[in-house]
Amino acid sequence: MSISFEDRVAIVTGAGNGLGRSHALELASRGAKVVVNDFGGSVDGHGGSASPAEQVVEEIKANGGEAVANPASVTDVAAVEQMVKDTVDRWGRIDILINNAGILRDKTFSKVSLEDFNSVVDVHLNGAIICSKAVWSQMISQTYGRIVMTTSAAGLYGNFGQSNYSAAKLGAVGLMNSLRLEGRKYNVKVNTIAPMALSRMTEDIMAPGVAESLKPELVTSAVVFMCSDDAPTGEIISAGAGSYARVQYIESDSVYLGPEANADDVSGAWEDISDMTNASVVTDVGASMKNVLSKLPRS
Ligand code: NAI
């Protein structure tokens, strides 16, 4: 069975380079009409130019596909709303949004300025919020939508010198976790990619020997699956170099320390609390509450 996007309309943010470019090319090659959004700045988010997005549009057209360039910054609410309006005016619907745009301003937490911290949060997290909000009512009214967030191992697990990026990237997972619930009955599915790929953002940190295997197209394969009719919802896929993994949260089996539990009790029981032998996957608030409250003695 081959995934097709005939009659589907997609917006890919940050699609002038790297992963976004790869996502846009693949969606278009499978029949989607694609808005190639990119503000065209440097890796640290300075500058700006329409040409990266325009070049990708030219590539798509040369391959026989349909695409239009859009230079909006994902942080600019009015420009994003205009992009969404223009897309609906042009093609009548929006089926797919890939929140991919991103920048880096790496510095330790001691050294990073609040300005650099907020700029990173603005693009990755607020950008994903602004774009998702702008397409949401359209997707709900169509009873069809696919949104993909882009997280990172640095967001899921943390990374030295990337507190701004980590905070923003895990925020995108939080956004997905609630949107998947609100979108479910309208066939709006929301998933997250945790990519590993060679791009201008990562070319300085990828070890030679590994770098050649980290083709963006191999991440795109998981992203395109998450945009398809048969996509799951609320999933995180870690993808790189042709390998794919599902990411979930687990909680240890809760330990009941009684109605008077104090800090010394928690300290004394830490070995048991932190024992993951009987840990279970938790996918919703109800399951987490059950794990914590199920040990209460019955009266
Ligand atoms: P990239 O630097 O090649 O591409 C990012 C694109 O986003 C650029 O074209 C840039 O102009 C655009 N962009 C930045 N700010 C924007 C804004 N405000 N509005 C619109 N466009 C904007 O980097 P890459 O590697 O392709 O990254 C894509 C996404 O994947 C990012 O969100 C990044 O954080 C994430 N990621 C990448 C990893 C990798 O291994 N390459 C690892 C983990 C996450």
Side-chain angles (χ1 to χ4, degrees):
M1 186 189 58
S2 173
I3 294 171
S4 166
F5 296 106
E6 285 307 325
D7 302 322
R8 297 281 179 218
V9 175
I11 296 176
V12 185
T13 72
N17 289 289
L19 285 162
R21 170 181 168 274
S22 170
H23 304 337
L25 286 167
E26 183 64 17
L27 287 171
S29 79
R30 289 173 180 266
K33 300 176 182 74
V34 182
V35 179
V36 177
N37 160 270
D38 204 299
F39 98 121
S42 57
V43 172
D44 66 5
H46 290 110
S49 151
S51 68
E54 284 166 358
Q55 277 170 26
V56 174
V57 168
E58 287 316 309
E59 269 185 86
I60 289 173
K61 287 184 174 166
N63 295 338
E66 232 180 307
V68 65
N70 177 278
S73 169
V74 293
T75 62
D76 182 336
V77 178
V80 167
E81 286 175 352
Q82 190 62 47
M83 169 175 74
V84 167
K85 183 178 181 308
D86 292 347
T87 306
V88 175
D89 287 348
R90 180 185 292 262
W91 286 320
R93 52 192 293 119
I94 298 173
D95 300 289
I96 295 163
L97 167 68
I98 302 178
N99 286 310
N100 166 81
I103 62 169
L104 287 182
R105 295 201 183 165
D106 293 356
K107 273 190 186 138
T108 60
F109 196 53
S110 302
K111 293 194 178 135
V112 70
S113 66
L114 278 179
E115 190 197 342
D116 281 347
F117 202 105
N118 290 335
S119 296
V120 168
V121 172
D122 245 1
V123 176
H124 292 276
L125 179 55
N126 290 332
I129 294 167
I130 289 166
C131 293
S132 302
K133 178 84 176 141
V135 301
W136 191 253
S137 59
Q138 178 67 33
M139 288 183 172
I140 296 289
S141 68
Q142 293 168 180
T143 55
Y144 191 95
R146 300 287 180 266
I147 297 178
V148 180
M149 308 290 176
T150 306
T151 188
S152 164
L156 295 170
Y157 310 114
N159 202 21
F160 191 94
Q162 290 198 307
S163 55
N164 47 6
Y165 185 71
S166 301
K169 286 306 207 188
L170 199 55
V173 176
L175 179 62
M176 171 196 76
N177 281 334
S178 288
L179 293 189
R180 68 168 172 141
L181 300 172
E182 296 184 21
R184 185 170 278 155
K185 80 173 182 196
Y186 302 99
N187 194 18
V188 176
K189 296 181 175 180
V190 189
N191 292 286
T192 299
I193 187 75
M196 274 175 229
L198 185 65
S199 71
R200 64 179 198 164
M201 190 183 267
T202 55
E203 61 193 358
D204 297 335
I205 54 165
M206 294 300 185
V210 181
E212 309 75 63
S213 312
L214 290 164
K215 298 192 187 90
E217 293 78 12
L218 294 169
V219 172
T220 295
S221 302
V223 170
V224 163
F225 163 60
M226 292 191 285
C227 294
S228 69
D229 287 359
D230 295 330
T233 193
E235 297 290 346
I236 305 169
I237 300 179
S238 171
S243 293
Y244 305 87
R246 183 186 196 187
V247 178
Q248 291 193 311
Y249 303 125
I250 57 171
E251 290 190 12
S252 68
D253 192 26
S254 73
V255 177
Y256 183 64
L257 298 177
E260 312 284 334
N262 63 29
D264 299 312
D265 298 326
V266 175
S267 172
W270 177 239
E271 201 176 322
D272 286 343
I273 295 167
S274 61
D275 178 0
M276 302 306 279
T277 312
N278 295 316
S280 53
V281 170
V282 174
T283 55
D284 56 41
V285 170
S288 181
M289 284 178 75
K290 189 170 168 217
N291 185 29
V292 172
L293 300 180
S294 61
K295 304 290 164 54
L296 270 178
R298 290 174 196 276
S299 49

